[in-house]
Amino acid sequence: MGKITGFIEFERVAESYEAPGARLKHYKEFVLSLEDKQAQVQGARCMDCGIPFCNTGCPVNNIIPDWNDLVYRQQWKQALEVLHSTNNFPEFTGRICPAPCEEACTLNINNDPVGIKSIEHAIIDKGWNEGWVVPQPPLKKTGKKIAVVGSGPAGLAAAQQLGRAGHSVTVFEKSNRIGGLMRYGIPDFKLDKSLIERRVSQMEAEGVEFQASTYVGAAGDATEDGLNVITTAELDKQFDAVIMAGGAEMPRDLPVPGRELSGVHFAMDFLRQQNKRNAGDRIANQISAAGKHVIVIGGGDTGSDCVGTSNRQGAASVTQIELMPRPPEHENKALTWPYWPAKLRTSSSHLEGCERDWAITTKCFKGDKGKLKKLVCTRVEWIKDEATGQMKMQEIEGSEFELKADLVFLAMGFVSPVAAVLDAFGVEKDQRGNVKANVENYRSSRDKVFTAGDMRRGQSLVVWAIREGRQCARAVDEFLMGASLLPR
């Protein structure tokens, strides 16, 4: 805990942002981290609540009260050690995690939680600036070789843990740069990609090898030209264990009339192009929102990222629509705390300029000469099915309307990993098309093939990916060595 009376004496202070007018002119991060004194005061607000629900609200089980107290006492290096004991990459989570820990904070009963995410952000940034984050190579090698397929947070966490345990680890990534969806699915203004680069450099110094532009699977399934291809049979011969840690990359489509019109795109195609452009890659057939009326279908984080990117490209207007009803401004704490509540969430991208609407379904896309011109939409209401007890959607008669649109981005979530990759490995799938495996040993139906992250659990948060990567690493270490000292 921090100061005994700190939660009474001090108010919550959030991180500040660069003004919208200024930040829309670039793709750099615009969140201003807490200064040391500010973080100290915020750490002081951590109360002696008896049962720290924040620990279990956090999927990686960060030991939050401990490092809050250390920051309050200005013992920054020790705070970093505690933070790293459960989380390999707090610079990622401190920026892009939605902070379920804060929803679980005891002070959040009064809508005033400890600023856990901002303190985490301050700790890791100070750690890097002070030179405290250094490679931790193993004292000796085990002689075991492990392949990690996918370089997102699950794959990187597993690779780092196993490399530090003394195994020889190779990470395979089909994109031309390491990082998975953190690299190309999250805009630079939310996560500067130099943060990924320095973690990769640290891991290389620890002995982890990376092979980018490499597709794992059947040669005919590679969707991009110029990729190196390694088959699953080759992995089986060369490695003692394999971890499938790719993403849930198959986006949910909207198969309505007019879907084929030019101007209708999956959100991730748009975001990936802009990130590649920011990295200096040449982009053919660039999707540009400049001067266009943009509609984003889907109310989650990916949709919000499309909003921010469209505004930076100079869109004439941006509208985000959602099938579900508008959530309440504030949740009923007696019903939801300490769990993640359904409530209205307004992102920094929304504040930069965006119209939002809820309870809308798209009936069709209309165009002229093959180009998108408008959406035909209908308002819906959600009613309880008396037979099943479930909520069901019902269109409101006479509510049809049109929205002008030059570009539409489909941001309705992801349904599964790429089936061709799973089929190439020959692993059993669950009912949702993910790799079937439990969270005790993370083993697939194939001998010596493990899985973690979105490829096992479906689309989820960065913190869940890191948690599963770490736990899977321990399971692999036990499989290879008979026992493991790695933490779960």
Side-chain angles (χ1 to χ4, degrees):
M1 59 169 294
K3 187 178 181 181
I4 293 177
T5 56
F7 71 98
I8 299 173
E9 295 178 40
F10 307 121
E11 294 182 355
R12 175 184 167 101
V13 174
E15 294 172 316
S16 57
Y17 294 169
E18 185 180 3
R23 68 184 190 240
L24 281 174
K25 297 177 182 178
H26 61 77
Y27 289 88
K28 299 176 183 178
E29 289 187 3
F30 54 80
V31 177
L32 306 178
S33 182
L34 298 180
E35 297 177 357
D36 287 6
K37 184 64 178 178
Q38 290 177 310
Q40 181 184 31
V41 171
Q42 293 307 296
R45 297 185 66 244
C46 188
M47 63 189 299
D48 187 9
C49 59
I51 300 175
F53 290 93
C54 57
N55 285 7
T56 51
C58 171
V60 294
N61 301 128
N62 276 329
I63 312 171
I64 294 163
D66 295 47
W67 44 258
N68 279 342
D69 181 65
L70 289 166
V71 169
Y72 165 58
R73 301 178 189 283
Q74 294 291 278
Q75 298 174 6
W76 288 91
K77 192 171 185 179
Q78 293 93 322
L80 179 67
E81 292 172 357
V82 174
L83 180 55
H84 266 148
S85 70
T86 57
N87 186 353
N88 294 68
F89 313 120
E91 65 270 40
F92 304 157
T93 55
R95 286 168 166 83
I96 62 176
C97 177
C101 55
E102 293 190 14
E103 297 292 352
C105 175
T106 301
L107 277 178
N108 192 43
I109 295 173
N110 295 329
N111 292 310
D112 197 25
V114 173
I116 299 168
K117 181 177 175 179
S118 64
I119 298 172
E120 177 183 34
H121 186 180
I123 293 170
I124 185 58
D125 280 9
K126 188 174 184 67
W128 280 106
N129 292 337
E130 296 292 335
W132 297 333
V133 184
V134 296
Q136 300 176 39
L139 296 177
K140 62 179 181 179
K141 303 291 284 186
T142 65
K144 302 292 185 180
K145 297 176 65 178
I146 302 166
V148 177
V149 181
S151 68
L156 291 179
Q160 185 166 65
Q161 293 294 94
L162 289 165
R164 289 175 175 178
H167 304 301
S168 296
V169 182
T170 303
V171 178
F172 297 94
E173 168 59 52
K174 71 176 183 297
S175 296
N176 62 333
R177 293 180 176 86
I178 300 301
L181 286 178
M182 288 193 305
R183 167 72 70 172
Y184 288 129
I186 296 175
D188 288 358
F189 56 80
K190 287 177 64 175
L191 179 67
D192 189 282
K193 302 312 182 287
S194 65
L195 305 178
I196 300 174
E197 296 291 352
R198 67 186 182 187
R199 275 297 179 185
V200 170
S201 296
Q202 179 198 34
M203 292 173 66
E204 287 176 330
E206 294 172 350
V208 176
E209 297 182 4
F210 294 90
Q211 291 190 25
S213 301
T214 302
Y215 179 82
V216 176
D221 293 335
T223 56
E224 298 179 24
D225 295 332
L227 294 179
N228 301 317
V229 177
I230 182 169
T231 66
T232 56
E234 291 173 316
L235 283 188
D236 191 61
K237 290 179 182 178
Q238 296 176 27
F239 295 92
D240 299 296
V242 177
I243 298 176
M244 300 174 67
E249 298 180 62
M250 295 300 295
R252 182 172 284 108
D253 207 345
L254 186 58
V256 298
R259 171 64 179 85
E260 75 287 350
L261 290 170
S262 173
V264 183
H265 304 275
F266 286 119
M268 202 53 63
D269 293 339
F270 175 58
L271 297 175
R272 185 180 291 109
Q273 280 195 357
Q274 184 58 59
N275 281 335
K276 283 181 170 288
R277 184 178 179 183
N278 290 346
D281 292 354
R282 298 184 63 181
I283 304 298
N285 303 315
Q286 171 81 29
I287 304 169
S288 175
K292 296 180 181 178
H293 298 283
V294 176
I295 306 292
V296 180
I297 302 179
D301 288 341
T302 300
S304 172
D305 293 343
C306 288
V307 170
T309 302
S310 295
N311 279 323
R312 280 163 178 75
Q313 289 187 359
S317 69
V318 182
T319 302
Q320 185 177 23
I321 61 176
E322 166 63 45
L323 181 65
M324 300 303 292
R326 179 183 175 120
E329 295 280 346
H330 301 287
E331 72 274 29
N332 184 332
K333 292 292 174 65
L335 291 177
T336 61
W337 182 89
Y339 302 107
W340 183 258
K343 64 179 180 180
L344 182 64
R345 300 178 190 276
T346 299
S347 72
S348 58
S349 291
H350 294 140
L351 297 175
E352 292 164 359
C354 174
E355 294 293 327
R356 304 166 74 186
D357 209 343
W358 290 265
I360 292 173
T361 186
T362 303
K363 301 295 289 181
C364 68
F365 301 107
K366 286 187 176 181
D368 181 40
K369 297 179 180 179
K371 292 185 178 180
L372 176 70
K373 294 298 180 182
K374 61 183 68 174
L375 272 68
V376 178
C377 303
T378 300
R379 297 196 177 275
V380 300
E381 59 181 350
W382 291 84
I383 59 176
K384 188 174 183 178
D385 188 315
E386 296 299 333
T388 65
Q390 302 296 314
M391 300 300 291
K392 66 177 183 179
M393 183 186 75
Q394 180 174 290
E395 294 184 9
I396 299 175
E397 186 177 352
S399 66
E400 188 173 291
F401 65 100
E402 294 183 347
L403 290 173
K404 185 176 182 180
D406 304 306
L407 275 179
V408 165
F409 298 125
L410 306 179
M412 303 173 295
F414 301 84
V415 295
S416 70
V418 177
V421 176
L422 276 59
D423 293 340
F425 274 97
V427 294
E428 185 179 352
K429 303 174 188 175
D430 65 17
Q431 292 181 339
R432 297 183 299 159
N434 304 318
V435 182
K436 188 175 182 179
N438 62 45
V439 294
E440 296 301 320
N441 56 34
Y442 289 89
R443 295 181 69 169
S444 75
S445 59
R446 278 279 309 277
D447 183 45
K448 77 178 187 181
V449 177
F450 297 73
T451 184
D454 287 7
M455 193 165 270
R456 191 204 69 83
R457 67 180 292 116
Q459 179 194 6
S460 192
L461 304 177
V462 62
V463 276
W464 277 110
I466 294 172
R467 172 197 175 111
E468 293 213 352
R470 288 170 62 89
Q471 293 187 347
C472 182
R474 179 183 170 91
V476 171
D477 193 34
E478 288 178 331
F479 167 74
L480 294 175
M481 309 302 293
S484 178
L485 295 177
L486 291 175
R488 269 183 65 86

